[in-house]
Amino acid sequence: MNLLIFIATAALSLILTPILIRLASRYGISRHDATGFLRKRALSLSGGVTIYISFVTVTAAAFLLSRGRWLGSYDYNYLGILIGGTLVLVLGFRDAVRKVPLPLKIVVQALAGLILVGCGYRIDSLTFFPGGKIALGGAGPAFLIVWVIGVTNAFSLIDTIDGLAAGIAAISAAILFFVALAGPPFVPVLALAVAGGCAGFLRYNFYPARIHLGRSGSYLLGFVLAAIAAQGELKAAAGITLTLPLLALATSLFGRLPGRSGPGKENRIHHQISDRLLRLGYSPRQAVLILYLLQVNLGMIALVAAAAGRTLALGIFLLIGMMLYLLFNIVEEYRSRLRLLNSGEPGESR
């Protein structure tokens, strides 16, 4: 049944995406997006709609068909995802068509998080490496709202290269599916539906893209994954799985500190991973595939943390991080020297 959920969502997304591309072109729902790092074509702004329709259709069908058998007491939890997801989708679409002020975006995203709280979602404690927990007590609902705002915006920040955000979301959802198998029975269905919707969409979103997620799609994926990750024992694994988008968010906020690029200036520090790969000479396709591979490795660490313990996962995490740091620096140094040799600068070659 789980495989059927993935196939159905991927097929529906694959069918709907080209239809929506044609509709967006016919009715003028497109623009030349000159702000993105690699946006040089007129691309549809409605990418999130196809994933939304696919996700809601398949999960709603599974919800109704399995009522009383799969769901248990998950009715209100699922309702929270539907209402909150619809809210952030509309916010993202509106922001893409006519820019929404940042304070208003935060308020709407906080409202979506509050809807989850009202539908039974909780983050009662935080788990840290290599062990130990901090009970949040009465601050749990507030932390959940902050978590939703953070992850929702994080996926918007990594939507810088064709196929990057949708691919990272698909891999993250697939990893969360395996971790969620030990939790509430309907949560794996939600994770697979996200993975399937992204997989079908990537057929047209991978470089060179005919459509991109836009704010509507990235907000939707971030919100749904934040809600899934807030379930039961997923929290520790989710923190590892969502490292890449959360790193983008952290570096973006760091770049807005006093003395750095201000809120009114273009802030590109949150592009640093993908930007650095491109500046090293990798093509957009190669850069995205490298980041996919990094995300898969993070997912494997998350599975180790869930199955074998956090201490081992921490060791693997640090080892992979150190290897990647050294690799990037070695490759960058090599390519810099190669560019100097090819340019024929004095003292470098005769």
Side-chain angles (χ1 to χ4, degrees):
M1 182 59 72
N2 286 327
L3 181 60
L4 182 60
I5 295 293
F6 176 84
I7 293 174
T9 317
L12 191 55
S13 179
L14 191 63
I15 294 169
L16 289 176
T17 302
I19 296 174
L20 214 57
I21 291 173
R22 289 194 292 270
L23 288 175
S25 177
R26 177 179 300 177
Y27 294 104
I29 312 175
S30 61
R31 71 176 180 186
H32 181 77
D33 189 348
T35 60
F37 192 70
L38 290 173
R39 311 298 190 197
K40 296 182 180 179
R41 297 172 300 282
L43 301 176
S44 166
L45 295 175
S46 53
V49 177
T50 59
I51 295 177
Y52 175 81
I53 295 174
S54 304
F55 174 82
V56 171
T57 301
V58 174
T59 56
F63 184 92
L64 295 173
L65 291 173
S66 65
R67 193 172 183 82
R69 184 164 52 87
W70 252 352
L71 301 178
S73 60
Y74 204 80
D75 299 56
Y76 287 109
N77 301 69
Y78 178 58
L79 184 64
I81 285 185
L82 289 185
I83 298 175
T86 302
L87 186 61
V88 296
L89 178 83
V90 173
L91 170 67
F93 194 80
R94 174 66 179 177
D95 189 37
V97 174
R98 182 174 297 176
K99 192 168 182 62
V100 177
L102 179 60
L104 181 57
K105 283 192 283 190
I106 298 300
V107 168
V108 175
Q109 292 166 4
L111 178 59
L114 189 61
I115 290 171
L116 290 182
V117 173
C119 290
Y121 286 80
R122 294 288 185 275
I123 297 181
D124 298 319
S125 62
L126 298 179
T127 304
F128 294 94
F129 285 122
K133 290 184 178 181
I134 295 180
L136 295 175
F143 188 87
L144 175 62
I145 293 173
V146 172
W147 168 256
V148 167
I149 294 172
V151 178
T152 299
N153 286 286
F155 272 90
S156 176
L157 291 173
I158 64 169
D159 188 24
T160 56
I161 307 178
D162 296 340
L164 180 57
I168 296 298
I171 297 169
S172 300
I175 296 299
L176 291 177
F177 160 75
F178 289 106
V179 182
L181 289 174
F186 199 65
V187 178
V189 173
L190 298 175
L192 277 185
V194 172
C198 291
F201 179 75
L202 277 170
R203 167 66 178 80
Y204 301 93
N205 178 240
F206 198 72
Y207 185 87
R210 293 177 56 191
I211 186 173
H212 65 78
L213 280 173
R215 293 293 173 84
S216 61
S218 58
Y219 282 174
L220 174 67
L221 291 175
F223 173 81
V224 175
L225 287 174
I228 293 173
Q231 300 292 322
E233 296 302 317
L234 272 72
K235 299 181 184 69
I240 305 171
T241 304
L242 301 177
T243 295
L244 278 181
L246 291 175
L247 178 62
L249 176 66
T251 52
S252 176
L253 294 174
F254 178 72
R256 294 180 185 273
L257 291 175
R260 299 183 179 272
S261 57
K265 300 178 182 179
E266 180 184 7
N267 176 19
R268 299 180 65 93
I269 191 169
H270 61 263
H271 296 175
Q272 63 179 12
I273 301 176
S274 56
D275 186 25
R276 189 169 186 180
L277 288 171
L278 293 170
R279 294 182 186 282
L280 284 173
Y282 291 102
S283 69
R285 185 185 297 267
Q286 290 171 330
V288 169
L289 290 175
I290 289 172
L291 291 173
Y292 283 0
L293 181 60
L294 176 58
Q295 182 63 27
V296 169
N297 278 280
L298 290 170
M300 294 299 104
I301 295 172
L303 292 178
V304 170
R310 294 187 296 274
T311 303
L312 178 60
L314 175 62
I316 298 173
F317 183 86
L318 294 175
L319 179 61
I320 291 178
M322 183 172 58
M323 290 173 61
L324 287 172
Y325 176 79
L326 292 173
L327 178 62
F328 281 152
N329 279 276
I330 291 171
V331 172
E332 186 170 17
E333 177 68 20
Y334 171 75
R335 289 179 180 263
S336 297
R337 290 179 178 274
L338 192 61
R339 282 193 296 268
L340 287 173
L341 288 171
N342 291 336
S343 66
E345 290 190 10
E348 295 294 337
S349 62
R350 300 291 182 189

